[in-house]
Amino acid sequence: MVILKTRLPFLIFTFGVILCVTGRVMLLEKSRNPFIFPEALFLPQWQLKASNNLAKPIKHSELINQKHYRYVKHDLPLDIEMRYVNYFDVNKLIDKYTNISANPIVRQQKGIGYYGLLFDKQRAYLSACINPQGNSTFSYQQFKENRRLYDQREKRFLPWLLGEEIENNRCLWAHLSVPLNNSPDTAYKTLENASKSILTSLVSTMPRY
Amino acid sequence: MRFKSTQFWLLASLAGLITIHISLVWKSDRPSLMGTSILFWIAITYLIWERRYHLNLESDIFSSFLGFIIILPALIKSASLTSFGGFLDVLPFVFALGLAFIASGYLGLKQYKGELLALLIFGAPKFLPGWLAIYPLTAKLSAFILWYTGFQVTRSGNFIYLPTGSIEVAIGCSGIELIFQMLGLAVIFLLMFPQKLSLKIVVVIVACCIGFIVNGFRVAVMAVIANNQQAFDYWHDGEGSLIFSMIAVIFFGIFCWFFSGFVPKHNTN
């Protein structure tokens, strides 16, 4: 008899909880915290000429937010396109966001990570994905390997339940470019030197989850 | 009157849980999951509705509490609105299991075994062990389809090369998802129209084959359009992937229609 008496209130209570969650799920938008880009990047010897936040184009669903910077050293302009994206395969990102149709050379440097170098139509580019933990990556495999090293999923059931993303596939894609005056090697050297501080200094400012 | 009220609150809870799942899938940008979810929920609700006067809706305190404990974490996670991964695939099963405990208790669970099995199959593809990956077979089938339709195709392992572009058939393209979707539908079909065991096996095998073959065509189409990134994205993750799942469902529907026309209805109970 006790069961009969408590059953109805229990069912109504259960329904109440479900209704609250239904309301929340239907009304609220999924939020993705944007990355707060610094006003200027840490780039010794280079002078900041301009920086602007760009609006998010609708057709790219993986793009969370972006900012472009322009630096100058001895009349040589350096363009830096930073995009915070929910994607990590830099090859595909280059395909999708730029008109470059060259095959990148992937290099690795200790303490920095992997990056891709390529040139096309009078410009040389350096592209890499900055990760919240570990080194920068370029390919799909490098990203997954980096995450495997730093993610400890088993310890995060409670944070997961409360809404932290266990699959953090976001990366801060840095795409640097300089005009190509003579050989690509000189341009690559310039890009590599400039990228060193960018690829390392932003790591600590990224949200981990 | 009291019994009627119980029925009402359970139905309202089911409606709420379905709404939560559908809304989350809607926000997750997975068109193919959306189609399957709607199809499965309609079928399950229909099956339950048909039996509404025969269901035993009595539960004990322990089972009710257990059911609530099963649903609660899933509700908390749903309310967080983060990216979900495979969570959305298993959510229907978790919701249904919890609600079945609340509605009919541990002893009454067997009333819903068919529905629960269908929903378990619905969520299974995301959690299959690696050895079940059949993508090398998918690559062979797709290459064969392309060769048969007159393309100059070469295959090396999981890579399919055409003069216009090439693709790698990865785990995600293996068709396991479509096969399991068909398998779930087969279970639902067999719940609606009970058959004897040998015919059940036939239905299940046909369902799997339809899923596998339709996916083979999907991969073949992707190989042909590999050089067009926009079209590729559309057929790979966009509404295009939904179209192939619809084609498979339609084929299976036609098969079921003929099948139930030819085979006299078999009454198991």
Side-chain angles (χ1 to χ4, degrees), chain B residues 83-154:
Chain B
S83 72
F84 294 110
F87 175 73
L88 289 178
D89 298 74
V90 283
L91 194 58
F93 176 73
V94 174
F95 277 168
L97 185 69
L99 196 63
F101 267 114
I102 293 174
S104 302
Y106 175 70
L107 293 171
L109 217 54
K110 59 179 179 296
Q111 298 175 94
Y112 312 104
K113 60 175 192 291
E115 287 84 353
L116 288 172
L117 177 66
L119 289 176
L120 191 65
I121 292 172
F122 174 90
K126 286 269 169 184
F127 301 92
L128 288 178
W131 55 265
L132 252 174
I134 51 158
Y135 53 97
L137 225 58
T138 312
K140 278 181 192 160
L141 175 70
S142 302
F144 176 74
I145 293 170
L146 286 168
W147 172 79
Y148 203 75
T149 41
F151 285 93
Q152 280 184 297
V153 61
T154 41

Side-chain angles (χ1 to χ4, degrees), chain A residues 5-200:
Chain A
K5 264 184 208 158
T6 51
R7 179 140 166 90
L8 202 55
F10 170 75
L11 288 180
I12 295 171
F13 171 74
T14 307
F15 174 68
V17 174
I18 292 170
L19 195 66
C20 291
V21 177
T22 312
R24 187 184 149 84
V25 167
M26 288 184 74
L27 296 177
L28 289 187
E29 274 301 305
K30 186 171 156 181
S31 64
R32 265 200 210 128
N33 295 335
F35 177 72
I36 303 154
F37 287 105
E39 276 309 306
L41 298 169
F42 178 65
L43 208 55
Q45 297 169 4
W46 290 82
Q47 209 183 355
L48 180 66
K49 268 281 181 244
S51 73
N52 52 328
N53 289 303
L54 294 179
K56 183 191 145 109
I58 299 158
K59 64 169 183 166
H60 298 312
S61 61
E62 69 282 339
L63 180 66
I64 302 166
N65 62 340
Q66 56 178 345
K67 188 162 181 157
H68 291 190
Y69 301 88
R70 169 166 278 201
Y71 282 82
V72 185
K73 182 167 84 174
H74 310 311
D75 290 335
L76 180 74
L78 166 69
D79 282 306
I80 304 169
E81 300 169 27
M82 301 292 280
R83 292 186 178 90
Y84 191 44
V85 284
N86 199 25
Y87 198 70
F88 49 81
D89 188 338
V90 181
N91 259 322
K92 290 263 172 67
L93 287 170
I94 293 174
D95 267 359
K96 208 163 177 182
Y97 287 82
T98 70
N99 297 320
I100 313 167
S101 58
N103 278 330
I105 318 162
V106 181
R107 286 189 191 163
Q108 185 190 17
Q109 272 194 41
K110 237 187 167 162
I112 299 172
Y114 296 95
Y115 51 84
L117 291 165
L118 55 168
F119 71 95
D120 183 28
K121 292 185 202 114
Q122 308 304 312
R123 282 192 90 77
Y125 306 87
L126 184 150
S127 229
C129 159
I130 306 173
N131 292 296
Q133 280 164 297
N135 293 332
S136 68
T137 57
F138 188 79
S139 72
Y140 180 94
Q141 279 82 7
Q142 290 156 8
F143 179 91
K144 284 290 177 197
E145 178 61 21
N146 186 59
R147 278 295 137 93
R148 199 183 58 74
L149 281 173
Y150 291 96
D151 276 3
Q152 291 174 299
R153 294 174 178 215
E154 66 281 1
K155 287 184 189 161
R156 302 218 312 262
F157 178 71
L158 201 65
W160 173 81
L161 199 62
L162 297 174
E164 282 186 1
E165 291 186 40
I166 228 159
E167 282 261 313
N168 182 354
N169 285 336
R170 285 160 298 174
C171 92
L172 188 57
W173 174 35
H175 187 64
L176 288 70
S177 66
V178 288
L180 194 59
N181 293 328
N182 29 44
S183 81
D185 289 330
T186 342
Y188 285 168
K189 198 121 217 128
T190 315
L191 287 168
E192 281 180 326
N193 286 334
S195 71
K196 254 177 217 165
S197 55
I198 295 173
L199 295 184
T200 49

